[in-house]
Amino acid sequence: MSKCGKIASIFEELKSTHDKTFTTKLEEFPGGPDAFLFAAKFCYGIRVEFTARNIIMVYCAADFLEMTDEYGEDNLLLKSENFLHKNVLRNWKDCILALQSCESCMPRAEKLYILKKCLNAVSMMVCTDPSLFGWPMMMYGSLQSPGGSILWNGINTGARIRSAESDWWFEDISYFSVGLFERLIKTMEGRGIRCELLAGAIMYYARKYLPGLGRWQSMQGGKARTVASFSLTPVAVDQKVLLESIETLLPKKKGKSFCRFLLGLLRVASILGVNQTCQDSLERRIGMQLELASLDGLLIPSYSDSDTLYNTDCVERIVHHFVSLESGLTLFSPPSLDLESSPSSEPLRKVARLMDSYIAEVASDVNLKPGKLRTLAGVLPESSRPLHDGLYRALDIYFKAHPWLSDGEKEELCNIIDYQKLSVDACAHASQNERLPLRVILQVLFFEQMHLRMALAGCLNVLEAESAPTGQGEIAGNATAGQIMQRDGWVTVVRENRVLKVDMEKMRSRVGELEEEFSKIKQEMKRVTKSHSSLSSPRVVARKFGCKLLAKSTDAQTDVAGSTGPTPRPSVERACSSRNSRHRKSFSLF
């Protein structure tokens, strides 16, 4: 009663109403029986020891019991306050231990601003370079750093800085409860600590208490930290509450490791069944940086009653968020810019390639409906895919995994492909693909022929430009380019250039082969023609058969007119004529 104002007032109040012994109960006593025992020992002169683990509890108990200087000089409240300011708030280790032990008296500590003072002290020491000021914040014993011992007013304290890395404090604060950790992160954010450091601390804390995030966290947690010095024990947390709290603490930043972490959070959130607000926020955050995501991160298993293997609805919503954020950049890009060099289209093309790989991966699921596949392929705008080879590969995998589809269903799915955007290799594969409907194969062959015609026309234009003088070649080339730009537009020119690079080399080699074959055929024809002309000469034929040729018709008539010999018999003449006719027939056949 001599040192506690509250007990003295209770005694005076109850003394007037009770003649004999009376009892009372101290409701909501901060710190519980241990704190009351500490105060009682102090009142009766028993030696007590202030430590970082009990200082906040003792401070709150002294304030509750009103142990001020009014009830005794150098009372418990003043002693605990002095110890807090002189010893705890100036030392990193003691400040961490004090915060971890204040769970039993959190409301009272909040009311007395003790919690705020400790959080501000931790935040200040995090953003202060200990090697610059020589502040003995971290008393880690034998742990060394390149900076050596810390000096305090020129005196070697023997303390060593734990590490010069910026994440040296991640492990220490990971032993706080969820509520206290949340308060600390908000305090640090208010002091202007970089969001990269805050995100790293949050990711480290989440990985520690959410085991499913192990493979989705890029940070290495195997380093030796201060846990050996502190002898701290991890707190028990509700994983669902933890994940919902972490989502609100995450800063708005972009990065590959951060995007991977968000995808891991979304995967764990679907397992724990967090509220819809938290899940929508995670999907929106991922959509803001979808171009940095990886395929394995998007392959989120379906934990609901859905028959599909992967949660395609979730990925579809993420892509919708990405498109809604990117549409303002891509839709208003001037058409004169090249699609390949436009900086605003680069994230869109990356996401298109990512989605093509995702669709190809989920296409092997036998429970995936054709409508869902068509929706996933059409969620991105048409301008995002300069080539449709990825979509064709995904459809080929889908047709292979779903052989029971009819030709009508296959043709309907094939409508998502623009055959003009297929490469030469893809057209060659599609023209021989037995899984495609016949009508689709005919369309592929038609566009493949168009590709070859365009390539041939490009080759001829290049040859004409090379053969013409420099000025005329440039003019002809500019005119040809202008005609192509006017006819097909800038997107078609980009597509043609990509195809022509491949076709030019093939066409040149083919033209060379054809020229060689033509020269060989020409030489062969000359040789055959020469041999035929020599063999068809009558004298050569006659000599070949051992016959003598008759004289010319005029000479024969003269000889017959001047002949005085007897006239041959008719039978002999008929025999000779028939023999000559047979000779003529054989000659003509020859």
Side-chain angles (χ1 to χ4, degrees):
M1 290 173 57
S2 62
K3 291 184 178 292
C4 301
K6 188 174 184 62
I7 293 182
S9 62
I10 292 175
F11 177 77
E12 293 295 333
E13 181 183 352
L14 295 179
K15 183 179 179 182
S16 60
T17 57
H18 294 77
D19 296 335
K20 298 182 179 180
T21 305
F22 57 87
T23 59
T24 184
K25 186 176 182 181
L26 300 177
E27 299 287 347
E28 299 179 356
F29 187 85
D34 294 336
F36 186 81
L37 179 61
F38 189 98
K41 287 182 177 180
F42 179 83
C43 292
Y44 286 97
I46 302 174
R47 182 177 179 277
V48 292
E49 182 182 2
F50 292 97
T51 63
R53 294 183 184 275
N54 64 15
I55 184 59
I56 295 181
M57 175 181 65
V58 171
Y59 193 113
C60 294
D63 179 76
F64 181 86
L65 294 173
E66 300 177 11
M67 300 179 70
T68 60
D69 291 347
E70 183 182 352
Y71 295 91
E73 186 178 357
D74 202 12
N75 209 343
L76 183 60
L77 184 61
L78 180 61
K79 279 183 172 294
S80 57
E81 185 177 3
N82 289 336
F83 184 84
L84 178 68
H85 286 85
K86 292 181 180 180
N87 298 87
V88 176
L89 296 183
R90 295 184 179 184
N91 188 283
W92 171 264
K93 171 185 174 181
D94 292 340
C95 206
I96 294 294
L97 291 174
L99 282 172
Q100 195 200 26
S101 60
C102 72
E103 294 293 335
S104 60
C105 52
M106 185 77 73
R108 196 81 183 183
E110 183 75 27
K111 181 180 178 180
L112 295 175
Y113 298 102
I114 303 174
L115 188 63
K116 184 177 181 180
K117 291 178 181 178
C118 292
L119 293 175
N120 285 333
V122 170
S123 301
M124 183 180 62
M125 285 185 277
V126 164
C127 61
T128 303
D129 186 1
S131 62
L132 180 64
F133 297 101
W135 200 346
M137 301 188 317
M138 295 166 288
M139 314 296 287
Y140 291 163
S142 61
L143 297 176
Q144 302 286 329
S145 76
S149 300
I150 301 173
L151 298 179
W152 179 251
N153 293 332
I155 302 173
N156 188 350
T157 61
R160 303 286 180 177
I161 299 176
R162 166 64 185 92
S163 174
E165 298 176 1
S166 59
D167 62 345
W168 57 267
W169 48 278
F170 288 0
E171 174 73 10
D172 297 340
I173 67 172
S174 67
Y175 290 91
F176 291 165
S177 64
V178 178
L180 188 59
F181 180 82
E182 186 176 356
R183 289 285 304 273
L184 178 61
I185 294 298
K186 290 182 178 179
T187 304
M188 290 181 175
E189 186 178 2
R191 294 190 69 89
I193 295 180
R194 291 184 296 121
C195 64
E196 290 81 4
L197 287 177
L198 296 181
I202 296 170
M203 293 161 70
Y204 192 95
Y205 188 86
R207 184 192 177 194
K208 188 166 190 173
Y209 296 102
L210 296 175
L213 285 177
R215 63 186 293 259
W216 305 104
Q217 181 77 8
S218 61
M219 296 174 55
Q220 298 296 328
K223 298 179 181 179
R225 299 285 179 173
T226 61
V227 60
S229 301
F230 287 179
S231 299
L232 298 176
T233 55
V235 295
V237 299
D238 186 344
Q239 292 184 341
K240 183 177 179 181
V241 175
L242 170 62
L243 199 149
E244 293 174 353
S245 300
I246 283 177
E247 189 280 320
T248 60
L249 294 177
L250 288 173
K252 294 182 179 179
K253 67 183 293 290
K254 298 179 69 173
K256 287 187 176 180
S257 61
F258 189 66
C259 183
R260 184 177 178 85
F261 172 75
L262 290 175
L263 286 167
L265 275 185
L266 183 60
R267 178 185 294 250
V268 177
S270 61
I271 298 175
L272 297 177
V274 299
N275 58 57
Q276 191 63 36
T277 303
C278 177
Q279 186 166 350
D280 292 343
S281 180
L282 286 174
E283 292 175 357
R284 193 178 302 108
R285 287 176 180 269
I286 297 170
M288 291 171 57
Q289 47 194 317
L290 186 58
E291 70 275 9
L292 303 176
S294 59
L295 177 59
D296 59 340
L298 286 180
L299 294 174
I300 302 174
S302 180
Y303 297 102
S304 61
D305 297 333
S306 176
D307 295 332
T308 56
L309 183 61
Y310 297 104
N311 193 347
T312 55
D313 295 334
C314 177
V315 175
E316 182 182 349
R317 291 192 297 267
I318 291 174
V319 179
H320 274 301
H321 289 306
F322 171 80
V323 172
S324 63
L325 293 173
E326 292 290 327
S327 58
L329 298 176
T330 56
L331 291 180
F332 296 101
S333 60
S336 60
L337 291 177
D338 188 1
L339 182 63
E340 295 292 332
S341 61
S342 177
S344 62
S345 63
E346 181 64 25
L348 197 61
R349 292 200 313 274
K350 287 184 178 180
V351 173
R353 291 193 294 268
L354 178 64
M355 282 303 299
D356 290 347
S357 301
Y358 177 80
I359 297 172
E361 191 69 27
V362 302
S364 58
D365 185 4
V366 294
N367 294 321
L368 185 66
K369 304 299 181 184
K372 175 57 66 175
L373 182 69
R374 202 162 43 245
T375 304
L376 289 174
V379 70
L380 288 172
E382 182 67 24
S383 59
S384 62
R385 291 184 176 93
L387 282 177
H388 278 206
D389 290 8
L391 282 180
Y392 166 70
R393 174 175 171 268
L395 278 184
D396 187 40
I397 296 174
Y398 188 78
F399 292 158
K400 185 177 181 180
H402 301 75
W404 55 84
L405 292 176
S406 62
D407 287 347
E409 292 175 325
K410 291 182 178 181
E411 289 180 6
E412 190 174 357
L413 282 175
C414 289
N415 289 334
I416 65 177
I417 298 179
D418 186 356
Y419 301 105
Q420 298 186 57
K421 292 185 177 182
L422 289 179
S423 65
V424 177
D425 296 334
C427 286
H429 186 277
S431 62
Q432 301 176 6
N433 194 345
E434 297 179 354
R435 287 186 286 270
L436 294 179
L438 181 59
R439 184 176 180 181
V440 174
I441 295 177
L442 292 176
Q443 293 181 7
V444 171
L445 291 173
F446 172 74
F447 286 108
E448 186 179 13
Q449 187 179 14
M450 288 185 59
H451 280 313
L452 294 176
R453 288 181 178 178
M454 292 163 56
L456 184 59
C459 292
L460 295 176
N461 291 332
V462 171
L463 293 175
E464 290 177 1
E466 291 178 353
S467 61
T470 305
Q472 296 180 1
E474 293 179 355
I475 295 173
N478 293 333
T480 305
Q483 293 174 1
I484 295 175
M485 289 286 286
Q486 294 176 0
R487 184 181 71 247
D488 298 325
W490 63 281
V491 177
T492 307
V493 172
V494 174
R495 188 167 61 248
E496 289 177 354
N497 289 339
R498 189 180 294 107
V499 176
L500 285 176
K501 289 178 182 179
V502 180
D503 291 342
M504 278 284 293
E505 297 298 328
K506 294 183 179 180
M507 188 61 65
R508 286 177 179 175
S509 61
R510 182 58 180 166
V511 169
E513 293 176 359
L514 291 176
E515 287 179 351
E516 292 179 2
E517 292 181 3
F518 180 73
S519 62
K520 292 180 180 179
I521 292 173
K522 192 173 181 180
Q523 293 176 1
E524 186 69 19
M525 288 180 65
K526 287 181 178 180
R527 187 180 64 79
V528 172
T529 304
K530 185 176 180 181
S531 61
H532 273 271
S533 61
S534 62
L535 289 174
S536 59
S537 175
R539 297 183 181 275
V540 174
V541 175
R543 282 197 300 270
K544 185 175 181 181
F545 286 94
C547 301
K548 293 183 179 179
L549 289 176
L550 297 176
K552 292 182 181 180
S553 59
T554 55
D555 298 337
Q557 291 174 2
T558 306
D559 293 341
V560 170
S563 178
T564 56
T567 304
R569 294 188 301 269
S571 61
V572 176
E573 291 178 357
R574 284 195 298 268
C576 292
S577 62
S578 63
R579 190 165 50 247
N580 289 334
S581 64
R582 284 198 305 269
H583 214 42
R584 281 196 299 270
K585 288 180 182 179
S586 62
F587 179 77
S588 62
L589 288 174
F590 177 77

